[in-house]
Amino acid sequence: MKFGGTSLGDSQKIKSVAKIVADYFRAKGDVVVVVSAMSTVTDNLINCAKSAAAKNKIQYEKHFEILEKLHVGAACNLKLSKNSQASLLQTIDEHFRELKEILDSIYVLGEVSQRKLDLICSFGERLCPPLLAAALKDLGVKAQAMAASQFIVTDDHFGNADPLLPQSAKKMPLVIAPLIKSKVIPVITGFIGATAKGEITTLGRSGSDFSATIVGYCLDAAEVWIWTDVDGVMTADPRIVSQAQTIKRLSYDEAAELSYFGAKVLHPRTVIPASLKKIPIWIKNTFKPAFPGTVISADQNGTKGAVKAIATIKNLSLVAVEGKGMLGVPGTAAKVFQALADQKVNVMFISQASSEHNISFIVERADREKTTQVLKKAFQLELINNLIDRITSEDEVAILAVVGEKMKGVPGIAGKTFSALGDSKISIVAIAQGSSELNISTVIKEEDLVKAVRTVHQAFHLGSI
Ligand code: ADP
Ligand code: ASP
Ligand code: MG
């Protein structure tokens, strides 16, 4: 079971989570828990680190104080026995002392590397298991807080590390199996791992979902349950579309596609470890535990409708490489994407007109500057010789993706999407459809996004599934 930050926002919520876990443990059996940081904590830690690096002492000390108050307050409000509370407060205090030392050193240096940022972010997750374990013990079950850096081994891509599953699957059971055997509930940090050398890494923002399936994979879990603040994976982001409905079943591919295209409810790589071992993933609402939620699995019997959901991504830029000299010249696309791969720029969407005058693609807005610079350098000669006319970029764009496995071979889905957008006077900047036909993606102006999602959601009657 994994609980997200929204489920662990304060002492009352931590107590409710402890009750869900303890009830399950008593009624059904063994459970391993993965927790992320309390809500807002990771953003605040990043803020602390960046303010320290910018030599803004007032700012980082302010954020530090907010964080300390939040955790100490939650610990006190759990209303534990005197001894349990004292030992919990001591653990929290030790973490904050260590964090302060690291932040002070960043302040002196005036800079923060991604490696250090991962270390700092890890405190959010490391502070949470002691709180939940204490709440569980208070309910009379045995629990043990632990850091996943002991057994989730990753590569050294700090900020967005990939787990090394065989190594992790070797290490993790050695630590966890004896606890389960002794009826102790392990409460493990989400989001973090460590390189083979023992340096702490993070799995990318929202990575605790990914941690849950990594743990499920390594321990051969029967199921992975991801508890969050909504009723499951929904037909659209419920903050944008109030009619969004809970989807009962999704395939691994559909869930991967939705999360990749911005459905924040799941980290994009969450389904990978689960699909490797065909472990079903349930998405459930912490605040409505009896509601069944969504199941993501290999079994797709009984699912209805070609289109399952609409996902969206904001804060993007559309970059275009244009020129008649690209016509029929092999290797231009390869050169574009190789140059970007070398600089670790992630390309999220590609579209090339058949006239070959133009290759357009989408990158995160934060990467736009770097992308155009890299390309201008890579195509310096072609630009001088007018083989490439220009490299342009357009901000304020967004992607809207229509996703569903059963769209395959069903005619008219693209037509319906584009007519719905056209009828609402939303112009489409670019279009792409993967050959898997699992997804049709359109690039539109960001200002049209909300209207576009509502329009397409309605066109496919997703509010009444
Ligand atoms: P947690 O703290 O549990 O990890 P997150 O905030 O990361 O929770 O993810 C849950 C949020 O994802 C929901 O509150 C919802 O606003 C958002 N969300 C975006 N798209 C979807 C979707 N298609 N289905 C469900 N939730 C979505
Ligand atoms: N706490 C981390 C984040 O905010 C991981 C997570 O929430 O899953 O990104
Ligand atoms: Mg999340």
Side-chain angles (χ1 to χ4, degrees):
M1 290 187 181
K2 174 259 171 177
F3 294 88
T6 48
S7 304
L8 299 155
D10 56 38
S11 59
Q12 220 36 51
K13 288 183 176 159
I14 294 171
K15 276 174 177 258
S16 308
V17 165
K19 187 167 169 350
I20 291 176
V21 174
D23 285 352
Y24 181 93
F25 177 74
R26 290 194 175 112
K28 305 228 170 98
D30 299 333
V31 55
V32 174
V33 180
V34 172
V35 287
S36 55
M38 291 174 78
S39 118
T40 71
V41 165
T42 308
D43 286 339
N44 251 332
L45 284 165
I46 294 172
N47 239 319
C48 258
K50 296 212 161 145
S51 321
K55 299 227 174 240
N56 187 341
K57 204 169 178 97
I58 296 177
Q59 185 78 355
Y60 95 72
E61 285 185 339
K62 187 180 111 193
H63 283 289
F64 184 87
E65 216 172 281
I66 294 173
L67 286 168
E68 199 169 25
K69 264 198 185 139
L70 177 76
H71 290 88
V72 170
C76 294
N77 290 331
L78 283 176
K79 305 267 181 271
L80 306 168
S81 70
K82 237 187 178 166
N83 282 350
S84 310
Q85 192 189 78
S87 116
L88 178 58
L89 285 174
Q90 192 187 337
T91 307
I92 291 174
D93 185 54
E94 281 162 12
H95 280 87
F96 276 101
R97 274 169 201 255
E98 196 186 330
L99 175 61
K100 185 80 182 19
E101 266 173 35
I102 299 167
L103 287 169
D104 286 343
S105 74
I106 286 170
Y107 176 77
V108 172
L109 277 174
E111 62 177 24
V112 60
S113 61
Q114 185 59 57
R115 183 184 301 245
K116 270 274 149 62
L117 209 49
D118 276 13
L119 177 61
I120 291 168
C121 283
S122 77
F123 280 88
E125 266 62 18
R126 283 153 65 193
L127 280 157
C128 224
L131 285 161
L132 182 59
L136 280 165
K137 286 184 207 155
D138 197 50
L139 293 177
V141 289
K142 291 189 272 182
Q144 163 110 41
M146 46 209 338
S149 41
Q150 297 182 56
F151 41 64
I152 292 186
V153 188
T154 73
D155 63 13
D156 62 359
H157 189 176
F158 292 94
N160 201 16
D162 244 325
L164 306 177
L165 289 175
Q167 283 91 320
S168 308
K170 235 187 211 168
K171 278 184 143 181
M172 198 182 301
L174 297 177
V175 184
I176 302 293
L179 292 175
I180 294 182
K181 207 162 164 224
S182 327
K183 297 291 166 203
V184 176
I185 301 176
V187 184
I188 306 172
T189 54
F191 189 44
I192 66 168
T195 63
K197 285 192 204 149
E199 285 180 292
I200 288 192
T201 51
T202 63
L203 306 171
R205 292 305 304 269
S206 299
S208 300
D209 303 323
F210 193 18
S211 305
T213 54
I214 296 169
V215 169
Y217 174 97
C218 294
L219 300 177
D220 278 325
E223 293 183 346
V224 173
W225 292 14
I226 294 181
W227 293 89
T228 183
D229 65 341
V230 285
D231 283 345
V233 181
M234 309 192 70
T235 51
D237 186 337
R239 290 167 301 185
I240 305 180
V241 182
S242 56
Q243 289 89 349
Q245 300 289 315
T246 305
I247 305 166
K248 288 201 179 88
R249 289 180 171 280
L250 281 172
S251 69
Y252 291 118
D253 287 345
E254 286 170 333
E257 205 78 6
L258 279 174
S259 54
Y260 179 76
F261 281 98
K264 189 184 172 238
V265 65
L266 280 183
H267 174 286
R269 282 171 288 160
T270 304
V271 301
I272 300 170
S275 66
L276 288 172
K277 288 199 175 171
K278 300 224 172 352
I279 302 171
I281 306 170
W282 287 87
I283 315 296
K284 289 175 71 74
N285 191 340
T286 316
F287 309 106
K288 253 197 249 173
F291 191 81
T294 301
V295 62
I296 302 166
S297 69
D299 173 17
Q300 281 312 290
N301 290 328
T303 57
K304 287 191 297 188
V307 171
K308 287 275 187 65
I310 321 283
T312 56
I313 324 180
K314 290 200 291 192
N315 298 321
L316 303 174
S317 291
L318 180 78
V319 179
V321 180
E322 289 174 26
K324 289 182 200 53
M326 287 160 61
L327 204 92
V329 179
T332 311
K335 191 165 167 183
V336 168
F337 298 118
Q338 188 58 52
L340 297 177
D342 289 346
Q343 295 301 315
K344 292 206 168 21
V345 174
N346 183 30
V347 176
M348 311 175 84
F349 170 111
I350 303 169
S351 158
Q352 181 177 26
S354 60
S355 68
E356 297 187 37
H357 284 181
N358 172 311
I359 299 174
S360 309
F361 54 91
I362 293 280
V363 294
E364 281 185 30
R365 196 166 302 153
D367 284 336
R368 194 247 300 154
E369 196 69 41
K370 185 165 151 192
T371 303
T372 47
Q373 272 173 13
V374 165
L375 292 179
K376 280 182 182 156
K377 199 163 163 213
F379 287 99
Q380 209 171 10
L381 271 181
E382 288 86 343
L383 282 162
I384 293 170
N385 296 326
N386 295 321
L387 294 171
I388 301 262
D389 296 334
R390 63 189 78 82
I391 294 167
T392 58
S393 67
E394 186 178 338
D395 284 348
E396 316 300 332
V397 294
I399 293 180
L400 178 149
V402 176
V403 174
E405 204 159 68
K406 292 194 175 167
M407 281 164 44
K408 239 178 277 187
V410 177
I413 305 242
K416 204 174 197 174
T417 307
F418 306 146
S419 315
L421 292 173
D423 291 347
S424 294
K425 309 247 174 313
I426 294 166
S427 66
I428 298 171
V429 181
I431 299 168
Q433 174 174 28
S435 59
S436 66
E437 289 187 49
L438 196 69
N439 156 359
I440 295 168
S441 319
T442 55
V443 176
I444 54 175
K445 294 225 173 297
E446 193 170 300
E447 64 189 28
D448 291 334
L449 188 65
V450 170
K451 190 167 162 201
V453 188
R454 291 180 183 158
T455 302
V456 177
H457 194 263
Q458 194 166 11
F460 288 102
H461 307 292
L462 294 177
S464 52
I465 54 166

